[in-house]
């Protein structure tokens, strides 16, 4: 088998440590806050790099993102972590791509770059859709394994361990394949300063949606976004009888 051509999609999202706030117009959340790479995508880049470090034949690791101009920073971070080059499809600020549109776009990239393995986060923490990987596998007609907690590749055979409600499940499939990553897969490395400087010299190709000739118009419309209701404070009880009485009063018993 020749070296793997791995595609790793990465997304710029509101940093996981920032508490989202609904904007004044109630059309979405306030995006004028710190952004970073989607945590599940960090796992994907790390796993692709680790496959190479485990002596799995890897010809190239390509980081890809579609989003506003600042998404290029996320691709640079991916390259500092070990990706070889990047492609940035620049969208207008506020132009959101739905999972199906992203899957169609990734299909075009896979075909153009002749990728044979796609590793992507199981979901992004902004919309929590968890649909893109499955849609991409369906469009490509490839095998898929979701929520991977362990990945092993021998030749063209891929073994993926994933956690399920009853324990763990082990899947085997042949390349080409789509894998989505879960939090137990690995611990992403920090991009060191020397690698950040080297990433600035790695090729980053700029494209637009028109270059791919796709219809990515939204099919869904957000009607309204509101804050969840504030939680009411708890009450203290003196003993078990008091707790039972309170639960009956609340209709819990």
């Amino acid at each position: 088998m020749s070296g793997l051509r791995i595609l790793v999609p990465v997304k710029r999202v509101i940093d996981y440590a920032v508490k989202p706030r609904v904007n004044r117009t109630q059309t979405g959340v306030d995006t004028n806050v710190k952004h970073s790479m989607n945590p599940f995508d960090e796992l994907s880049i790390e796993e692709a790099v680790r496959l190479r470090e485990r002596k799995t034949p890897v010809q190239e690791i390509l980081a890809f993102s579609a989003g506003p101009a600042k998404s290029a920073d996320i691709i640079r971070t991916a390259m500092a972590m070990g990706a070889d080059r990047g492609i940035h499809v620049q969208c207008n600020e506020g132009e959101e791509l739905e999972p199906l549109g992203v899957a169609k776009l990734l299909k075009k990239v896979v075909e153009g770059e002749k990728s044979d393995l796609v590793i992507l986060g199981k979901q992004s923490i902004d919309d929590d859709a968890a649909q893109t990987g499955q849609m991409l596998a369906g469009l490509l007609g490839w095998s898929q394994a979701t929520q991977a907690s362990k990945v092993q590749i021998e030749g063209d055979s891929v073994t993926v361990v994933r956690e399920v409600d009853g324990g763990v499940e082990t899947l085997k499939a042949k390349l080409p394949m789509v894998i989505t990553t879960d939090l137990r897969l690995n611990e992403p490395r920090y991009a060191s300063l020397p690698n950040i400087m080297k990433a600035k010299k790695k090729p980053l190709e700029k494209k637009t949606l028109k270059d791919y000739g796709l219809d990515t118009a939204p099919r869904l419309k957000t009607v309204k976004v509101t804050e969840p209701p504030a939680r009411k404070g708890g009450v203290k009880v003196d003993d078990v009888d008091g707790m039972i009485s309170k639960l009956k009063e609340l209709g819990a018993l």
Side-chain angles (χ1 to χ4, degrees), residues 144-249:
Q144 63 172 305
T146 59
Q147 301 172 220
S149 59
K150 185 177 180 181
V151 177
Q152 288 184 315
I153 299 178
E154 295 182 5
D156 65 348
S157 178
V158 184
T159 303
V160 175
V161 178
R162 60 194 297 266
E163 294 186 1
V164 295
D165 290 342
V168 294
E169 181 178 69
T170 301
L171 305 174
K172 280 192 174 183
K174 297 288 187 181
L175 292 168
M177 188 174 183
V178 175
I179 299 174
T180 71
T181 59
D182 204 356
L183 289 175
R184 295 187 187 275
L185 179 59
N186 58 51
E187 184 175 342
R189 68 195 68 194
Y190 287 102
S192 65
L193 182 58
N195 286 337
I196 290 173
M197 300 306 293
K198 290 177 183 177
K200 293 181 179 180
K201 297 181 180 180
K202 291 183 178 180
L204 175 55
E205 188 176 358
K206 299 281 188 179
K207 287 182 174 287
T208 65
L209 290 172
K210 291 182 180 179
D211 293 329
Y212 293 96
L214 290 172
D215 176 17
T216 56
R219 298 168 183 240
L220 302 173
K221 180 181 179 181
T222 300
V223 178
K224 190 177 184 181
V225 179
T226 58
E227 294 275 3
R231 293 183 62 181
K232 296 180 180 179
V235 295
K236 291 184 177 181
V237 294
D238 296 327
D239 49 32
V240 174
D241 291 337
M243 181 180 67
I244 293 173
S245 297
K246 193 64 180 177
L247 289 173
K248 287 182 177 177
E249 180 185 325

Side-chain angles (χ1 to χ4, degrees), residues 60-107:
E60 180 181 62
I61 301 172
L62 171 62
F64 171 89
S65 189
K70 292 182 179 179
S71 295
D73 297 337
I74 303 303
I75 300 175
R76 291 290 182 194
T77 299
M79 292 193 289
M81 291 174 67
D84 301 306
R85 65 185 180 95
I87 295 178
H88 177 208
V89 175
Q90 187 163 334
C91 305
N92 297 325
E93 194 73 39
E95 184 181 2
E96 294 293 332
L97 293 174
E98 293 175 353
L100 179 59
V102 176
K104 289 179 178 179
L105 181 56
L106 290 175
K107 178 177 182 289

